[in-house]
Structure formats: structure tokens, C-alpha cells
Amino acid sequence: MMSTLLVFTDLDGTLLDHFTYDYAPAEGALNDLKTLGIPCILNTSKTYAELLELRQALGNHDPFIVENGAAVYIPKHSSLGNACSLPCQGDFYIKSFGPHREELIQLISDFKQRYDFTCYSDLSAAQLAQFTGLEIATAELSLQRSFTEPLIWNDSNQALHQLRDELEQYGVKAQKGGRFVHLMGQHCDKAVAMAWLAEQYELSIGGAVTCIALGDGENDVSMIGSANIPVVVRSPTHVPPEIPGRTDVWITDSYGPKGWNEAITKALVNHGYV
Ligand SMILES: [Mg+2]
């Protein structure tokens, strides 16, 4: 018998359309996963507050990973019994991989004199909405972070390199994203969180799992590269990222959620599920 399948997926530009955030084209495959009892684990830069809403819309009850791999949330009702010794928040156990946001804010405040940047924590929802084009209600949810602190970087690239070097001794990294520089624990990474959660499943079921990982961006490369089935979902805005060391990457024909649907359907067929 083939091993249990686990799906790990990025959201923006992958399961959600890059422009409209629509996931309707993926609904067929999402329903297949539900019917087959295959976990669909959202692995995203989004926050806990943002994911609570989205999971509800998707009817998703599986564990999820927030803030670029900074923490894994496991529903208390889940079969992953090992989680019991973890701290909880609401209906979830939490496994975190880096310092809390308050510590990051404290640390970075010492650098404000020497570098030119604005902290997320200094922005109001209205200011963030204006900067990102998000709706104010969405900006509100995005401000509720637990393990990462984004910066609006107004200084040079050289200054960013210098700050990076300085932060290293504190076990903190500054990762450049689309709009922000994200401060987070050195070991926070989508791939690390995926590997930890996959291991919890293996311990729980007493057997191997097969991970399929889907993403469209640079911050998905490590996750895709360490999955058993690596999938790059094609983006309408950029060329597919290279996945170093892998010659077996599936690159979808279609963009975003339509490509997602295509890849999951192919994986289910290959695995003998449908
Ligand atoms: Mg993405």
C-alpha cells in the first residue's frame, strides 16, 4: 500500500488567485482531498487571525502553518496526540520555531537610530491598508502577528546587509519579501515547519507519509525542494522559481488555483486514489 499523502500549500498565488484571491478553480481537488481524508495544510506568510477566517471559508479543519514557518497550529480535536505537551491558544496547540514578536520588536527598536525603516507595529490599520492596498479589515488581521515583525525598509540594500549581520548574533534573520523585510527567528522556515508536522503525522500513524508541496514564490523554494512531490504553481506575474537539486519538479500548465487543481488531481491519480 502507498504511504499516506499530506498536502502542504502556499496560499497567495498558489491556492488563491494572485489578483482576486479566488480559489473556486481549485474546489474540485479540495473536495477530493476532504472526501479522501487527506490533510490539506496551509503553509503561508499569513497570520493566525487571517487563517481562522480563511479556513472557515474553505471548510478546512487541518493543522496549519503561519508567518512563513514560524509556528504550526494543531487543532485540539486532531489525532496528532503528541501535541498534548505543547502550549495552547484557543482551540489549538502551538509549536513555534522562533522568538515571540514582542522580543523582535524590542530588539529592533535599538536599531531605529541607525537605519531608516518603519516597523509594522508602528502602523495603524489605515496606514497599512494605504501602503499595501489591503482592505482595512484585512489589514487589521494582518497586524495581529505573533512571531514575525515586518519592516518597511527605506534604507539602502547595503544597510540591509549590515543589519542582517548585526541581527545574526541574536538568532534573528531579516528576510526580504515582496513589500516588506520580515524579521523572524533564524530557524523559521516553511520547510522546517513542514518537516516537523510531517514527523508528527508519522509518529501518530506509525508509518511513512508522502508530502506534496505546492508554491509559486521564492519563499516556497525550500518547502518545495524538500517535499516528496515538488510542485511549482505557475504565476501570471513571474517566472517559476528554480528548485535547486530537483529534476522532478512539476510545473503546472495553468496559473494559481487552476494549476493547483491540476497538480492535486495528478497526484491523486498517480497515488491510485482516483
Ligand atoms: Mg505565494
Side-chain angles (χ1 to χ4, degrees):
M1 193 187 128
M2 296 193 98
S3 71
T4 304
L5 202 59
L6 300 178
V7 174
F8 290 84
T9 182
D10 172 51
L11 289 175
D12 294 356
T14 300
L15 178 56
L16 308 181
D17 183 89
H18 177 83
F19 300 107
T20 63
Y21 300 101
D22 182 27
Y23 54 83
E27 255 161 355
L30 280 169
N31 285 333
D32 289 342
L33 295 179
K34 259 180 231 169
T35 306
L36 294 164
I38 296 170
C40 180
I41 295 140
L42 311 178
N43 193 352
T44 172
S45 60
K46 289 185 190 295
T47 64
Y48 170 75
E50 289 175 289
L51 280 194
L52 285 190
E53 277 203 349
L54 186 67
R55 285 171 81 250
Q56 195 148 24
L58 289 168
N60 180 301
H61 305 290
D62 298 315
F64 56 95
I65 301 167
V66 304
E67 298 185 54
N68 273 319
V72 179
Y73 285 75
I74 299 175
K76 284 184 180 166
H77 66 70
S78 156
S79 58
L80 302 180
N82 247 31
C84 302
S85 60
L86 293 169
C88 12
Q89 174 178 348
D91 297 330
F92 302 94
Y93 296 112
I94 309 174
K95 167 69 179 175
S96 61
F97 296 90
H100 274 268
R101 183 187 183 198
E102 294 72 44
E103 295 170 48
L104 297 170
I105 292 172
Q106 179 83 46
L107 173 68
I108 198 64
S109 66
D110 293 341
F111 295 89
K112 278 182 178 167
Q113 303 295 331
R114 293 168 38 224
Y115 297 99
D116 187 8
F117 62 85
T118 305
C119 287
Y120 226 64
S121 52
D122 294 330
L123 296 174
S124 66
Q127 285 170 318
L128 180 61
Q130 192 175 22
F131 183 74
T132 57
L134 290 174
E135 307 263 337
I136 290 196
T138 313
E140 204 88 66
L141 297 180
S142 172
L143 283 170
Q144 296 172 31
R145 315 189 77 80
S146 301
F147 304 99
T148 55
E149 175 66 354
L151 311 176
I152 300 174
W153 191 252
N154 302 316
D155 218 319
S156 66
N157 276 336
Q158 196 194 345
L160 180 57
H161 284 300
Q162 201 179 319
L163 175 66
R164 237 179 226 153
D165 289 344
E166 293 199 66
L167 289 176
E168 212 180 291
Q169 59 181 304
Y170 300 100
V172 170
K173 66 178 172 183
Q175 196 175 69
K176 206 169 178 180
R179 284 193 178 90
F180 299 98
V181 169
H182 299 266
L183 295 186
M184 63 185 108
Q186 206 117 56
H187 305 295
C188 296
D189 184 279
K190 284 186 172 190
V192 172
M194 175 177 80
W196 181 85
L197 187 53
E199 198 188 331
Q200 305 313 303
Y201 274 101
E202 289 186 332
L203 290 171
S204 162
I205 62 181
V209 295
T210 297
C211 297
I212 172 168
L214 307 95
D216 73 312
E218 287 303 326
N219 65 341
D220 300 312
V221 167
S222 62
M223 167 179 79
I224 296 170
S226 61
N228 303 99
I229 305 173
V231 179
V232 171
V233 171
R234 200 177 287 278
S235 167
T237 65
H238 56 260
V239 295
E242 290 277 344
I243 310 297
R246 297 295 295 256
T247 52
D248 56 343
V249 178
W250 299 357
I251 302 179
T252 63
D253 291 329
S254 307
Y255 297 142
K258 194 167 175 219
W260 197 94
N261 199 74
E262 193 185 288
I264 293 294
T265 302
K266 180 173 152 182
L268 294 179
V269 169
N270 287 0
H271 249 67
Y273 279 106
V274 287

